[in-house]
Amino acid sequence: FVQLGRGTPAAGWAGAAMGAVAAAVLVVNNVRDRDGDLRAGKRTLVAAYGRRFGVAMYAGFLGLAVVVAGVFAWANRSPLFLLPTLYAAYGAVTLVRRLRSDDGVALNPLLGRTASFGLRYAGLMAVAIAVSATTVRSISMPRRYYYYYFAPVE
């Protein structure tokens, strides 16, 4: 935004994916603390709608990261985006399985793993975006849309 004077949908979606991963960390915390929140009268979404809802919300947030990376891979026709896509897919499945199987304080390590997943995902996406912005010039969409979504700043 600072360089172009406007936001782009690509930047918005990349930001949404990172925000979803950050929100997933909070969901793990809410699932872990659900029983205590119910006793204390706190009304988090997980306390109000249950553990299954929390697991589904967690899977949805991580799934958004997979979808965004996949769309970037498709739109750029760049194999660079396959790395964050595959990493996000594998990581999401692994993390959701862990959330389904563990409970209570056993979820403490999952908080760190989810945050670490977000950091690695952000790094892979940043490298793919930076390298593809300097190397990928053609895209299979009309030129006017390409420059709107993925235009390099000159």
Side-chain angles (χ1 to χ4, degrees):
F1 178 82
V2 172
Q3 293 177 341
L4 291 177
R6 64 179 167 81
T8 64
W13 281 107
M18 287 311 309
V21 174
V25 175
L26 300 175
V27 172
V28 172
N29 188 53
N30 287 337
V31 169
R32 181 197 65 189
D33 296 341
R34 180 177 179 266
D35 294 334
D37 289 348
L38 287 171
R39 285 191 299 273
K42 292 182 182 176
R43 298 291 292 171
T44 64
L45 287 173
V46 176
Y49 296 108
R51 180 181 170 81
R52 285 182 64 182
F53 178 81
V55 172
M57 192 166 45
Y58 183 74
F61 285 147
L62 295 181
L64 180 62
V66 175
V67 169
V68 167
V71 168
F72 272 66
W74 171 82
N76 282 292
R77 300 286 192 255
S78 172
L80 290 170
F81 286 100
L82 290 178
L83 189 57
T85 304
L86 295 174
Y87 174 75
Y90 175 76
V93 169
T94 303
L95 293 171
V96 170
R97 283 183 182 164
R98 178 60 61 101
L99 182 63
R100 282 185 179 161
S101 66
D102 291 348
D103 200 16
V105 294
L107 290 175
N108 285 342
L110 188 60
L111 285 166
R113 287 189 181 115
T114 305
S116 178
F117 167 83
L119 181 64
R120 289 184 183 117
Y121 174 77
L124 290 170
M125 284 293 285
V127 168
I129 289 169
V131 172
S132 71
T134 60
T135 60
V136 176
R137 293 290 182 200
S138 64
I139 193 165
S140 65
M141 65 172 58
R143 192 172 195 82
R144 66 178 182 261
Y145 295 124
Y146 171 77
Y147 284 108
Y148 180 72
Y149 287 103
F150 301 104
V153 178
E154 295 178 12

